[in-house]
Amino acid sequence: MELKYGASREKPREDAAMQRFRGHRVGQFIHWGLYALPAGRWEGKDVEFAAEFLPRVAKVPQQRWEALANDFTLADFDAERWADTAVALGARYMTITTKHHDGFCLWPSAHTDFHMGNTPSGRDVLGELVAAYEARGIDVNFYYSVLDWRHPDWRFTLENDADNLAFARYLDFAMKQLEELAERYPSVKGFWFDGTWDESVKANGWWTWEVERMLKERLPGVVVNSRLRADDLGARHVDSNGLLMGDYESGYERRLPEPWDRSVAARDWEACMTIPQASWGYHQGPWAQSTLKHPWDVVDMIAHCTSLGGNFLLNFGPRGDGSMAPAEVEIARTVGEWLAVNGEAIYGCGYAEGWDYPGWGYFTRDSSTGKVFAVVTRAPASGRIRLELPTGLELVGLRLLGSGEYPFKGLADSVFEVELGGASNAGPRVFAVETSALAH
Ligand SMILES: C#C[C@@H]1N[C@@H](C)[C@@H](O)[C@H]1O
């Protein structure tokens, strides 16, 4: 079908910038804004919903919400400390909410009065973060919510000419903000769009095409997620011809491909995940704080994504004063210590063609050397795993990362057994798997 605003390519991008993004595998997502101040609590009551949705769920009067800007003092905000948390996590890129659904901007935008410039400190949070993260070699991406609860011209649906005229003004405003972000922060490596599910945006696929075109014209190599895009008929992420729009599929939000399905590896994709069960912004209540993920579950998710050629973006919700939540920093440190020993099986790795899903974890493959790894995140109660190689291969060596050569036993052609023993307090074991063609 002929589409004016459909996918711009049939195959994945292979340029250097996309290969760099693909090889990162692990990213730090950060949701920070005025919502971090109430942190899920309003008028003394915990609102058991994502903290960044508080103004809507608690029906906070607009003026009271906007008055929070006067309390956004950044008393304990330190971009260097945030960037150190990304280093501790082992993240290779960071994605920051420049503007979330409430419309508040973390940079001094010339196109609205609802921004950092009108807060007590007036600091350019984005500018400080870009400097701190890039000083550590960590790429910065910008999250931008097209949905804007505050802007008078935002529309969820387009019922009449007046709606169409207003929404046209809104799209012009959003385009100007995106041009402004590209101009102020030209080293940004990607844009992560959100808030594009409403009828109003789906009816304006042309605008989503123009945004992607503008960004790629101004910032060659920039990476754009599929969630921005709608085609001529309102199809999102994947156009009406079944082709991926944008540069990577970004539909996995708080979920991973289940069951494990090799077809997912045909595209570039990224999954984003909260540390609490369901809040992206910092939520102080037990509803969130009692549901923090275990570091080894995070490691399992990282390996799961890598095994299917996807990136994993773990979200952090700094507190209202700008400090990182200690429990989240601790999780970052533990996961980063694991990656420091086992990152060889993650960074620059992807789907291991021909290696079936083993059930006790995942196989990953280094995209440049072809080396295969076995990441054992779900060790069986027996304490041993069955290592089934592609037919015609035999196991000639097994190296436990961080340790050394490891014993194994042959069970049949291309089938071997590995005795793990009990759980390791260093977390999931990873083996480099050395094979050669089975001698007949
Ligand atoms: C719904 C929704 C939004 N998408 C996630 C990435 C968070 O930003 C959440 O608020």
Side-chain angles (χ1 to χ4, degrees), residues 116-130:
M116 280 309 306
N118 295 324
T119 64
S121 76
R123 291 162 67 176
D124 174 2
V125 167
L126 287 196
E128 293 184 42
L129 288 172
V130 167

Side-chain angles (χ1 to χ4, degrees), residues 17-49:
M18 187 67 204
Q19 288 182 21
R20 179 180 168 87
F21 176 76
R22 184 179 294 137
H24 284 339
R25 289 297 177 237
V26 181
Q28 179 190 42
F29 211 169
I30 297 183
H31 278 68
W32 198 46
L34 300 185
Y35 43 78
L37 289 164
R41 187 166 295 161
W42 195 255
E43 294 177 337
K45 281 204 221 69
D46 278 6
V47 177
E48 295 189 350
F49 199 84

Side-chain angles (χ1 to χ4, degrees), residues 29 31 50 52-53 97 100-101 143 192 194 197 227 253 272 280:
F29 211 169
H31 278 68
E52 69 281 2
F53 269 73
T97 49
H100 204 263
H101 308 335
Y143 164 112
W192 205 104
D194 199 9
W197 45 79
R227 198 177 294 201
E253 176 173 320
C272 57
W280 298 86

Side-chain angles (χ1 to χ4, degrees), residues 345-404:
I346 303 295
Y347 302 121
C349 294
Y351 169 56
E353 177 81 40
W355 293 69
D356 285 339
Y357 173 62
W360 38 255
Y362 310 91
F363 288 114
T364 67
R365 182 178 175 278
D366 184 305
S367 306
S368 46
T369 66
K371 203 184 287 185
V372 172
F373 299 90
V375 187
V376 189
T377 57
R378 305 176 181 196
S382 63
R384 59 179 71 155
I385 58 168
R386 196 179 154 88
L387 198 53
E388 298 199 27
L389 279 52
T391 308
L393 291 183
E394 70 174 341
L395 185 61
V396 296
L398 210 52
R399 174 171 55 91
L400 175 61
L401 299 195
S403 176

Side-chain angles (χ1 to χ4, degrees), residues 32 53 96 130 153 159 170 180 186 219 294 321 323 354 431:
W32 198 46
F53 269 73
I96 175 72
V130 167
D153 290 328
E159 307 296 340
Y170 177 75
E180 182 180 46
L219 306 170
H294 190 286
D321 62 3
S323 61
F431 297 98

